[in-house]
Structure formats: structure tokens, C-alpha cells
Short mmCIF file of all heavy atoms in Angstrom, two decimals:
data_model
loop_
_atom_site.label_atom_id
_atom_site.label_comp_id
_atom_site.label_asym_id
_atom_site.label_seq_id
_atom_site.Cartn_x
_atom_site.Cartn_y
_atom_site.Cartn_z
N MET B 240 48.25 323.43 -78.97
CA MET B 240 47.89 322.74 -77.61
C MET B 240 46.75 323.42 -77.04
O MET B 240 46.72 324.57 -76.93
CB MET B 240 49.13 322.86 -76.74
CG MET B 240 48.92 321.99 -75.50
SD MET B 240 50.22 322.33 -74.28
CE MET B 240 49.74 324.00 -73.70
N LYS B 241 45.85 322.58 -76.47
CA LYS B 241 44.70 323.18 -75.81
C LYS B 241 44.80 323.07 -74.39
O LYS B 241 45.16 322.12 -73.76
CB LYS B 241 43.47 322.28 -76.26
CG LYS B 241 42.18 323.00 -76.32
CD LYS B 241 41.05 322.11 -76.91
CE LYS B 241 39.57 322.82 -76.79
NZ LYS B 241 39.41 323.16 -75.38
N LEU B 242 44.64 324.33 -73.73
CA LEU B 242 44.59 324.33 -72.39
C LEU B 242 43.37 323.78 -71.74
O LEU B 242 42.35 324.07 -72.36
CB LEU B 242 44.85 325.73 -71.97
CG LEU B 242 46.21 326.40 -72.23
CD1 LEU B 242 46.24 327.94 -71.94
CD2 LEU B 242 47.31 325.77 -71.45
N PRO B 243 43.50 323.10 -70.54
CA PRO B 243 42.33 322.68 -69.84
C PRO B 243 41.39 323.85 -69.44
O PRO B 243 41.98 324.92 -69.12
CB PRO B 243 42.89 321.97 -68.67
CG PRO B 243 44.25 322.35 -68.40
CD PRO B 243 44.77 322.93 -69.82
N GLU B 244 40.12 323.54 -69.35
CA GLU B 244 39.12 324.60 -68.87
C GLU B 244 38.35 324.14 -67.76
O GLU B 244 38.25 322.96 -67.55
CB GLU B 244 38.26 324.85 -70.07
CG GLU B 244 38.94 325.61 -71.25
CD GLU B 244 37.96 325.77 -72.40
OE1 GLU B 244 36.75 325.47 -72.28
OE2 GLU B 244 38.51 326.20 -73.53
N GLY B 245 37.82 325.03 -66.91
CA GLY B 245 37.00 324.76 -65.83
C GLY B 245 37.77 324.40 -64.67
O GLY B 245 38.99 324.75 -64.60
N GLN B 246 37.18 323.63 -63.80
CA GLN B 246 37.91 323.25 -62.52
C GLN B 246 38.27 321.86 -62.49
O GLN B 246 37.51 320.92 -62.93
CB GLN B 246 37.08 323.57 -61.26
CG GLN B 246 36.91 325.11 -61.03
CD GLN B 246 38.18 325.61 -60.36
OE1 GLN B 246 38.86 324.83 -59.63
NE2 GLN B 246 38.62 326.74 -60.75
N PRO B 247 39.48 321.43 -61.92
CA PRO B 247 39.83 320.04 -61.87
C PRO B 247 39.00 319.52 -60.65
O PRO B 247 38.48 320.31 -59.85
CB PRO B 247 41.37 320.04 -61.48
CG PRO B 247 41.66 321.42 -61.08
CD PRO B 247 40.64 322.42 -61.73
N PRO B 248 38.84 318.10 -60.59
CA PRO B 248 38.03 317.62 -59.41
C PRO B 248 38.74 317.83 -58.10
O PRO B 248 40.00 318.12 -58.12
CB PRO B 248 37.95 316.20 -59.88
CG PRO B 248 39.03 315.94 -60.71
CD PRO B 248 39.41 317.14 -61.48
N ARG B 249 38.12 317.60 -56.97
CA ARG B 249 38.70 317.50 -55.77
C ARG B 249 39.67 316.25 -55.75
O ARG B 249 39.50 315.25 -56.28
CB ARG B 249 37.69 317.48 -54.63
CG ARG B 249 37.07 318.76 -54.38
CD ARG B 249 35.90 318.59 -53.38
NE ARG B 249 35.33 319.87 -52.98
CZ ARG B 249 35.79 320.59 -52.00
NH1 ARG B 249 36.72 320.17 -51.15
NH2 ARG B 249 35.19 321.79 -51.65
N CYS B 250 40.64 316.46 -54.76
CA CYS B 250 41.54 315.36 -54.49
C CYS B 250 40.80 314.22 -53.85
O CYS B 250 40.19 314.35 -52.84
CB CYS B 250 42.65 315.83 -53.58
SG CYS B 250 43.81 314.49 -53.14
N PRO B 251 40.93 313.02 -54.40
CA PRO B 251 40.19 311.87 -53.94
C PRO B 251 40.90 311.34 -52.60
O PRO B 251 40.19 310.61 -51.91
CB PRO B 251 40.41 310.78 -54.95
CG PRO B 251 41.63 311.29 -55.70
CD PRO B 251 41.67 312.62 -55.68
N VAL B 252 42.08 311.83 -52.30
CA VAL B 252 42.78 311.44 -51.08
C VAL B 252 42.43 312.26 -49.87
O VAL B 252 41.99 311.90 -48.88
CB VAL B 252 44.27 311.28 -51.31
CG1 VAL B 252 44.95 311.04 -49.95
CG2 VAL B 252 44.59 310.27 -52.24
N CYS B 253 42.58 313.62 -50.02
CA CYS B 253 42.51 314.54 -48.88
C CYS B 253 41.25 315.40 -49.09
O CYS B 253 40.98 316.16 -48.15
CB CYS B 253 43.82 315.44 -48.64
SG CYS B 253 44.03 316.59 -50.09
N GLY B 254 40.71 315.46 -50.16
CA GLY B 254 39.36 316.22 -50.38
C GLY B 254 39.68 317.65 -50.67
O GLY B 254 38.80 318.52 -50.82
N SER B 255 40.93 318.13 -50.88
CA SER B 255 41.34 319.50 -51.19
C SER B 255 40.88 319.81 -52.52
O SER B 255 40.88 318.90 -53.50
CB SER B 255 42.91 319.54 -50.92
OG SER B 255 43.20 320.96 -51.43
N ASN B 256 40.45 321.12 -52.75
CA ASN B 256 40.28 321.62 -54.04
C ASN B 256 41.51 322.35 -54.58
O ASN B 256 41.38 322.99 -55.66
CB ASN B 256 38.93 322.32 -54.14
CG ASN B 256 39.02 323.44 -53.27
OD1 ASN B 256 40.05 323.84 -52.70
ND2 ASN B 256 37.89 324.22 -53.03
N ASN B 257 42.48 322.29 -53.98
CA ASN B 257 43.85 322.94 -54.48
C ASN B 257 44.50 321.98 -55.43
O ASN B 257 45.53 321.37 -55.06
CB ASN B 257 44.74 323.24 -53.24
CG ASN B 257 45.81 324.19 -53.65
OD1 ASN B 257 45.89 324.63 -54.74
ND2 ASN B 257 46.74 324.43 -52.53
N VAL B 258 43.88 321.66 -56.43
CA VAL B 258 44.27 320.69 -57.38
C VAL B 258 44.71 321.25 -58.73
O VAL B 258 43.92 322.14 -59.26
CB VAL B 258 43.17 319.62 -57.62
CG1 VAL B 258 43.56 318.61 -58.73
CG2 VAL B 258 42.97 318.86 -56.38
N ALA B 259 45.78 320.80 -59.28
CA ALA B 259 46.22 321.36 -60.70
C ALA B 259 46.13 320.31 -61.69
O ALA B 259 46.20 319.10 -61.42
CB ALA B 259 47.64 321.85 -60.48
N TRP B 260 46.12 320.86 -62.93
CA TRP B 260 46.26 319.86 -63.98
C TRP B 260 47.81 319.65 -64.17
O TRP B 260 48.53 320.47 -63.91
CB TRP B 260 45.79 320.49 -65.34
CG TRP B 260 44.32 320.46 -65.55
CD1 TRP B 260 43.51 319.31 -65.89
CD2 TRP B 260 43.38 321.48 -65.18
NE1 TRP B 260 42.22 319.78 -66.01
CE2 TRP B 260 42.10 321.09 -65.59
CE3 TRP B 260 43.54 322.80 -64.74
CZ2 TRP B 260 41.02 321.79 -65.40
CZ3 TRP B 260 42.48 323.47 -64.77
CH2 TRP B 260 41.16 323.06 -64.97
N VAL B 261 48.10 318.44 -64.63
CA VAL B 261 49.56 318.13 -65.02
C VAL B 261 49.71 318.09 -66.48
O VAL B 261 49.01 317.42 -67.13
CB VAL B 261 49.95 316.73 -64.36
CG1 VAL B 261 51.48 316.39 -64.75
CG2 VAL B 261 49.74 316.70 -62.91
N LEU B 262 50.56 318.80 -66.96
CA LEU B 262 51.01 318.89 -68.25
C LEU B 262 52.44 318.40 -68.48
O LEU B 262 53.18 318.65 -67.64
CB LEU B 262 50.96 320.30 -69.04
CG LEU B 262 49.51 320.87 -69.14
CD1 LEU B 262 49.55 322.20 -69.92
CD2 LEU B 262 48.53 319.92 -69.83
N TYR B 263 52.59 317.68 -69.54
CA TYR B 263 53.97 317.06 -69.75
C TYR B 263 54.70 317.76 -70.92
O TYR B 263 54.17 317.89 -71.99
CB TYR B 263 53.83 315.53 -70.05
CG TYR B 263 53.30 314.90 -68.85
CD1 TYR B 263 51.79 314.71 -68.76
CD2 TYR B 263 54.10 314.48 -67.75
CE1 TYR B 263 51.30 314.10 -67.59
CE2 TYR B 263 53.55 313.92 -66.60
CZ TYR B 263 52.18 313.58 -66.62
OH TYR B 263 51.54 313.12 -65.47
N SER B 264 55.97 318.18 -70.52
CA SER B 264 56.68 318.88 -71.41
C SER B 264 57.27 318.02 -72.47
O SER B 264 57.40 316.88 -72.20
CB SER B 264 57.85 319.64 -70.75
OG SER B 264 58.61 318.80 -69.97
N PRO B 265 57.51 318.41 -73.73
CA PRO B 265 57.55 319.86 -74.05
C PRO B 265 56.21 320.32 -74.26
O PRO B 265 55.47 319.68 -74.91
CB PRO B 265 58.51 319.82 -75.29
CG PRO B 265 58.39 318.56 -75.92
CD PRO B 265 58.05 317.53 -74.86
N VAL B 266 55.94 321.57 -73.90
CA VAL B 266 54.64 322.21 -74.19
C VAL B 266 54.98 323.52 -74.76
O VAL B 266 56.03 324.12 -74.71
CB VAL B 266 53.80 322.41 -72.98
CG1 VAL B 266 53.39 321.03 -72.48
CG2 VAL B 266 54.44 323.27 -71.89
N GLU B 267 53.92 324.08 -75.57
CA GLU B 267 54.17 325.34 -76.26
C GLU B 267 53.83 326.37 -75.17
O GLU B 267 52.61 326.43 -74.65
CB GLU B 267 53.09 325.46 -77.35
CG GLU B 267 53.41 326.42 -78.35
CD GLU B 267 52.47 326.57 -79.57
OE1 GLU B 267 52.11 325.49 -80.01
OE2 GLU B 267 52.08 327.61 -79.77
N MET B 268 54.81 327.22 -74.76
CA MET B 268 54.58 328.13 -73.66
C MET B 268 53.98 329.34 -74.29
O MET B 268 54.35 329.89 -75.28
CB MET B 268 55.98 328.42 -73.04
CG MET B 268 55.87 329.42 -71.84
SD MET B 268 54.80 328.78 -70.54
CE MET B 268 55.80 327.48 -70.01
N ASN B 269 52.98 329.89 -73.59
CA ASN B 269 52.34 331.19 -73.93
C ASN B 269 51.90 331.85 -72.74
O ASN B 269 52.08 331.36 -71.55
CB ASN B 269 51.17 331.00 -74.93
CG ASN B 269 50.16 330.21 -74.43
OD1 ASN B 269 49.79 330.23 -73.18
ND2 ASN B 269 49.66 329.29 -75.23
N ASP B 270 51.47 333.10 -72.88
CA ASP B 270 51.14 333.97 -71.63
C ASP B 270 50.01 333.28 -70.81
O ASP B 270 50.12 333.26 -69.63
CB ASP B 270 50.52 335.39 -72.11
CG ASP B 270 51.73 336.13 -72.63
OD1 ASP B 270 52.84 335.80 -72.40
OD2 ASP B 270 51.58 337.20 -73.25
N GLU B 271 49.10 332.65 -71.50
CA GLU B 271 48.03 332.08 -70.68
C GLU B 271 48.44 330.84 -69.85
O GLU B 271 48.12 330.65 -68.63
CB GLU B 271 46.90 331.71 -71.60
CG GLU B 271 45.59 331.20 -70.90
CD GLU B 271 44.53 330.81 -71.92
OE1 GLU B 271 44.78 330.76 -73.14
OE2 GLU B 271 43.50 330.31 -71.43
N LEU B 272 49.32 330.02 -70.52
CA LEU B 272 49.88 328.92 -69.88
C LEU B 272 50.79 329.41 -68.66
O LEU B 272 50.74 328.80 -67.56
CB LEU B 272 50.66 327.98 -70.90
CG LEU B 272 51.38 326.83 -70.28
CD1 LEU B 272 50.31 325.85 -69.47
CD2 LEU B 272 51.99 325.98 -71.43
N ALA B 273 51.61 330.43 -68.97
CA ALA B 273 52.54 330.84 -67.92
C ALA B 273 51.71 331.26 -66.69
O ALA B 273 52.13 331.12 -65.53
CB ALA B 273 53.43 331.94 -68.54
N MET B 274 50.57 332.01 -67.03
CA MET B 274 49.83 332.47 -65.91
C MET B 274 49.18 331.39 -65.08
O MET B 274 49.13 331.40 -63.86
CB MET B 274 48.62 333.39 -66.50
CG MET B 274 47.77 333.97 -65.49
SD MET B 274 48.56 334.99 -64.26
CE MET B 274 49.04 336.44 -65.36
N MET B 275 48.82 330.32 -65.87
CA MET B 275 48.13 329.11 -65.07
C MET B 275 49.27 328.51 -64.33
O MET B 275 48.88 327.86 -63.28
CB MET B 275 47.53 328.31 -66.14
CG MET B 275 46.17 328.79 -66.77
SD MET B 275 45.42 327.81 -67.94
CE MET B 275 44.33 326.79 -66.86
N ILE B 276 50.36 328.46 -64.73
CA ILE B 276 51.56 327.73 -63.91
C ILE B 276 51.79 328.66 -62.72
O ILE B 276 51.88 328.17 -61.63
CB ILE B 276 52.73 327.61 -64.80
CG1 ILE B 276 52.53 326.55 -65.95
CG2 ILE B 276 53.98 327.23 -63.90
CD1 ILE B 276 53.63 326.50 -66.87
N GLN B 277 51.80 329.91 -62.89
CA GLN B 277 52.02 330.90 -61.87
C GLN B 277 51.01 330.80 -60.68
O GLN B 277 51.31 330.96 -59.55
CB GLN B 277 52.11 332.31 -62.35
CG GLN B 277 53.11 333.20 -61.64
CD GLN B 277 53.40 334.45 -62.54
OE1 GLN B 277 52.51 335.19 -62.85
NE2 GLN B 277 54.58 334.72 -62.83
N THR B 278 49.80 330.54 -61.11
CA THR B 278 48.72 330.58 -60.21
C THR B 278 48.44 329.13 -59.79
O THR B 278 47.48 328.82 -59.05
CB THR B 278 47.38 331.08 -60.87
OG1 THR B 278 47.14 330.44 -62.06
CG2 THR B 278 47.51 332.61 -61.13
N LYS B 279 49.38 328.24 -60.10
CA LYS B 279 49.29 326.82 -59.77
C LYS B 279 48.13 325.99 -60.24
O LYS B 279 47.62 325.01 -59.61
CB LYS B 279 49.41 326.66 -58.18
CG LYS B 279 50.75 327.25 -57.67
CD LYS B 279 50.97 326.97 -56.18
CE LYS B 279 52.33 327.41 -55.89
NZ LYS B 279 52.87 327.35 -54.67
N LYS B 280 47.48 326.53 -61.34
CA LYS B 280 46.42 325.68 -61.97
C LYS B 280 46.98 324.59 -62.81
O LYS B 280 46.31 323.61 -62.99
CB LYS B 280 45.55 326.53 -62.74
CG LYS B 280 44.70 327.54 -61.92
CD LYS B 280 43.77 328.33 -62.78
CE LYS B 280 42.76 329.03 -61.87
NZ LYS B 280 41.81 329.90 -62.66
N ILE B 281 48.25 324.76 -63.14
CA ILE B 281 48.90 323.85 -63.87
C ILE B 281 50.33 323.56 -63.38
O ILE B 281 51.05 324.47 -63.01
CB ILE B 281 49.13 324.18 -65.47
CG1 ILE B 281 47.62 324.13 -66.09
CG2 ILE B 281 50.10 323.40 -66.25
CD1 ILE B 281 47.63 324.61 -67.59
N VAL B 282 50.64 322.18 -63.38
CA VAL B 282 52.04 322.00 -63.10
C VAL B 282 52.73 321.27 -64.25
O VAL B 282 52.03 320.49 -64.94
CB VAL B 282 52.30 321.03 -61.84
CG1 VAL B 282 51.90 321.80 -60.55
CG2 VAL B 282 51.57 319.81 -61.97
N LEU B 283 54.01 321.70 -64.51
CA LEU B 283 54.72 321.07 -65.72
C LEU B 283 55.64 319.95 -65.24
O LEU B 283 56.33 320.16 -64.28
CB LEU B 283 55.46 322.17 -66.47
CG LEU B 283 54.84 322.96 -67.57
CD1 LEU B 283 55.94 323.91 -68.08
CD2 LEU B 283 54.17 322.25 -68.50
N ARG B 284 55.60 318.85 -65.92
CA ARG B 284 56.39 317.81 -65.58
C ARG B 284 57.12 317.32 -66.88
O ARG B 284 56.53 317.35 -67.94
CB ARG B 284 55.62 316.64 -65.08
CG ARG B 284 54.92 316.80 -63.78
CD ARG B 284 55.99 316.59 -62.65
NE ARG B 284 55.38 316.96 -61.44
CZ ARG B 284 54.41 316.42 -60.64
NH1 ARG B 284 54.03 315.14 -61.15
NH2 ARG B 284 53.93 316.84 -59.51
N PRO B 285 58.33 316.87 -66.81
CA PRO B 285 59.01 316.26 -67.92
C PRO B 285 58.27 315.08 -68.38
O PRO B 285 57.77 314.13 -67.42
CB PRO B 285 60.39 315.81 -67.36
CG PRO B 285 60.55 316.38 -66.05
CD PRO B 285 59.21 316.74 -65.52
N ALA B 286 58.13 314.84 -69.52
CA ALA B 286 57.35 313.70 -70.09
C ALA B 286 57.71 312.35 -69.56
O ALA B 286 56.95 311.40 -69.21
CB ALA B 286 57.32 313.65 -71.59
N GLU B 287 59.02 312.14 -69.39
CA GLU B 287 59.54 310.77 -68.97
C GLU B 287 59.29 310.53 -67.52
O GLU B 287 59.43 309.36 -66.98
CB GLU B 287 61.06 310.70 -69.31
CG GLU B 287 61.88 311.70 -68.49
CD GLU B 287 62.12 312.99 -69.26
OE1 GLU B 287 61.40 313.29 -70.24
OE2 GLU B 287 63.17 313.69 -68.99
N GLN B 288 58.84 311.53 -66.78
CA GLN B 288 58.55 311.43 -65.24
C GLN B 288 57.38 310.64 -64.97
O GLN B 288 57.21 309.95 -63.92
CB GLN B 288 58.56 312.66 -64.61
CG GLN B 288 59.27 312.69 -63.24
CD GLN B 288 59.28 314.14 -62.71
OE1 GLN B 288 58.28 314.66 -62.31
NE2 GLN B 288 60.39 314.72 -62.42
N SER B 289 56.53 310.58 -65.88
CA SER B 289 55.28 309.91 -65.66
C SER B 289 54.74 309.18 -66.98
O SER B 289 53.99 309.81 -67.66
CB SER B 289 54.02 310.76 -65.09
OG SER B 289 52.90 310.11 -64.85
N PRO B 290 55.19 307.96 -67.04
CA PRO B 290 54.76 307.12 -68.19
C PRO B 290 53.27 306.87 -68.17
O PRO B 290 52.59 306.65 -69.28
CB PRO B 290 55.59 305.82 -68.04
CG PRO B 290 55.93 305.77 -66.68
CD PRO B 290 56.03 307.10 -66.16
N ALA B 291 52.66 306.93 -66.97
CA ALA B 291 51.20 306.80 -66.91
C ALA B 291 50.34 307.95 -67.33
O ALA B 291 49.25 307.81 -67.40
CB ALA B 291 50.90 306.29 -65.46
N ASN B 292 51.03 309.04 -67.60
CA ASN B 292 50.25 310.23 -68.06
C ASN B 292 49.16 310.61 -67.14
O ASN B 292 47.99 310.64 -67.53
CB ASN B 292 49.82 310.05 -69.44
CG ASN B 292 50.69 310.72 -70.41
OD1 ASN B 292 51.88 311.11 -70.12
ND2 ASN B 292 50.22 310.97 -71.58
N LYS B 293 49.51 310.81 -65.83
CA LYS B 293 48.49 311.16 -64.91
C LYS B 293 48.11 312.68 -65.16
O LYS B 293 48.71 313.36 -65.71
CB LYS B 293 49.07 310.94 -63.49
CG LYS B 293 49.39 309.59 -63.26
CD LYS B 293 49.80 309.36 -61.84
CE LYS B 293 50.20 307.88 -61.68
NZ LYS B 293 49.42 306.99 -61.12
N THR B 294 46.86 312.91 -64.73
CA THR B 294 46.16 314.19 -65.21
C THR B 294 46.32 315.26 -64.16
O THR B 294 46.28 316.40 -64.43
CB THR B 294 44.79 313.95 -65.57
OG1 THR B 294 44.82 312.83 -66.57
CG2 THR B 294 44.10 315.08 -66.36
N TYR B 295 46.08 314.86 -62.87
CA TYR B 295 45.92 315.86 -61.71
C TYR B 295 46.94 315.79 -60.63
O TYR B 295 47.40 314.62 -60.41
CB TYR B 295 44.40 315.73 -61.25
CG TYR B 295 43.30 315.77 -62.24
CD1 TYR B 295 42.61 314.63 -62.45
CD2 TYR B 295 43.03 316.98 -62.76
CE1 TYR B 295 41.57 314.83 -63.28
CE2 TYR B 295 42.00 317.05 -63.70
CZ TYR B 295 41.24 315.92 -63.95
OH TYR B 295 40.24 315.96 -64.76
N TYR B 296 47.20 316.85 -60.17
CA TYR B 296 48.21 316.89 -59.04
C TYR B 296 47.60 317.80 -57.91
O TYR B 296 47.05 318.81 -58.07
CB TYR B 296 49.55 317.51 -59.54
CG TYR B 296 50.44 317.84 -58.34
CD1 TYR B 296 51.12 316.78 -57.78
CD2 TYR B 296 50.54 319.12 -57.82
CE1 TYR B 296 52.00 316.99 -56.74
CE2 TYR B 296 51.46 319.28 -56.83
CZ TYR B 296 52.14 318.28 -56.20
OH TYR B 296 53.04 318.54 -55.23
N CYS B 297 47.61 317.15 -56.59
CA CYS B 297 47.11 317.83 -55.47
C CYS B 297 48.22 318.60 -54.79
O CYS B 297 49.28 318.00 -54.38
CB CYS B 297 46.46 316.82 -54.54
SG CYS B 297 45.99 317.52 -53.00
N HIS B 298 48.02 319.95 -54.74
CA HIS B 298 49.10 320.69 -54.05
C HIS B 298 49.09 320.46 -52.50
O HIS B 298 50.09 320.67 -51.87
CB HIS B 298 48.91 322.28 -54.24
CG HIS B 298 49.18 322.68 -55.64
ND1 HIS B 298 50.43 322.67 -56.12
CD2 HIS B 298 48.37 323.13 -56.72
CE1 HIS B 298 50.48 323.16 -57.47
NE2 HIS B 298 49.20 323.34 -57.84
N HIS B 299 47.96 320.06 -52.01
CA HIS B 299 47.88 319.88 -50.53
C HIS B 299 48.61 318.65 -50.07
O HIS B 299 49.45 318.75 -49.17
CB HIS B 299 46.35 319.73 -50.22
CG HIS B 299 46.08 319.74 -48.76
ND1 HIS B 299 46.23 320.89 -47.99
CD2 HIS B 299 45.74 318.80 -47.91
CE1 HIS B 299 45.92 320.66 -46.79
NE2 HIS B 299 45.73 319.42 -46.72
N CYS B 300 48.40 317.40 -50.76
CA CYS B 300 49.11 316.19 -50.20
C CYS B 300 49.93 315.59 -51.30
O CYS B 300 50.67 314.64 -50.88
CB CYS B 300 47.97 315.21 -49.89
SG CYS B 300 47.07 314.46 -51.26
N GLY B 301 50.08 316.19 -52.35
CA GLY B 301 50.99 315.67 -53.39
C GLY B 301 50.59 314.50 -54.25
O GLY B 301 51.27 314.01 -54.99
N TYR B 302 49.39 314.04 -53.99
CA TYR B 302 48.77 312.89 -54.75
C TYR B 302 48.67 313.32 -56.22
O TYR B 302 48.31 314.47 -56.50
CB TYR B 302 47.51 312.56 -54.11
CG TYR B 302 46.83 311.35 -54.80
CD1 TYR B 302 47.50 310.18 -54.67
CD2 TYR B 302 45.57 311.44 -55.40
CE1 TYR B 302 47.00 309.02 -55.34
CE2 TYR B 302 45.07 310.19 -55.97
CZ TYR B 302 45.67 309.03 -55.92
OH TYR B 302 45.14 307.96 -56.46
N THR B 303 49.03 312.43 -57.07
CA THR B 303 48.86 312.53 -58.51
C THR B 303 48.11 311.46 -59.01
O THR B 303 48.27 310.28 -58.76
CB THR B 303 50.33 312.64 -59.10
OG1 THR B 303 51.10 313.55 -58.48
CG2 THR B 303 50.21 312.98 -60.63
N TRP B 304 47.06 311.92 -59.91
CA TRP B 304 46.24 310.85 -60.44
C TRP B 304 45.71 311.20 -61.80
O TRP B 304 45.91 312.35 -62.23
CB TRP B 304 45.15 310.44 -59.55
CG TRP B 304 43.90 311.47 -59.45
CD1 TRP B 304 42.78 311.23 -60.11
CD2 TRP B 304 43.93 312.69 -58.76
NE1 TRP B 304 41.92 312.45 -59.78
CE2 TRP B 304 42.62 313.26 -59.04
CE3 TRP B 304 44.80 313.42 -58.08
CZ2 TRP B 304 42.22 314.46 -58.63
CZ3 TRP B 304 44.43 314.70 -57.50
CH2 TRP B 304 43.16 315.10 -57.77
ZN1 ZN P 269 45.27 315.79 -51.78
#
């Protein structure tokens, strides 16, 4: 599995840059991924929760896109 690199875009709803990538489990857990989850750069979701496979999650307003 390839981890995302760089910065996610700003939230189109609230303009916050407190935005995480969304990964859908099951994923292969490793130290780097665990660190990114801990620092809220990545949020993990069960695969069945989002059939649309949205990519980004805004920590500020909760918008997912
Ligand atoms: Zn937002």
C-alpha cells in the first residue's frame, strides 16, 4: 500500500487546512501509517462506510469529499 504524500487540499466548505486523507480498511498497518493516524493526517474508515470512496476528511467541519 502506498501512503499519500504532500498536503491534502483545503476544505472546500470551511477553508480549513486541517484536512486528512481517508483510507479504507483493511489496510496494512505500519509505523509510518500509525504515526500519520496519530497526527491526524490520515483517518481510517471501514470500507463499507463509504461506497463513494471519498478521499479527504475535514477535521474542522467534518466534511468528507
Ligand atoms: Zn471543513
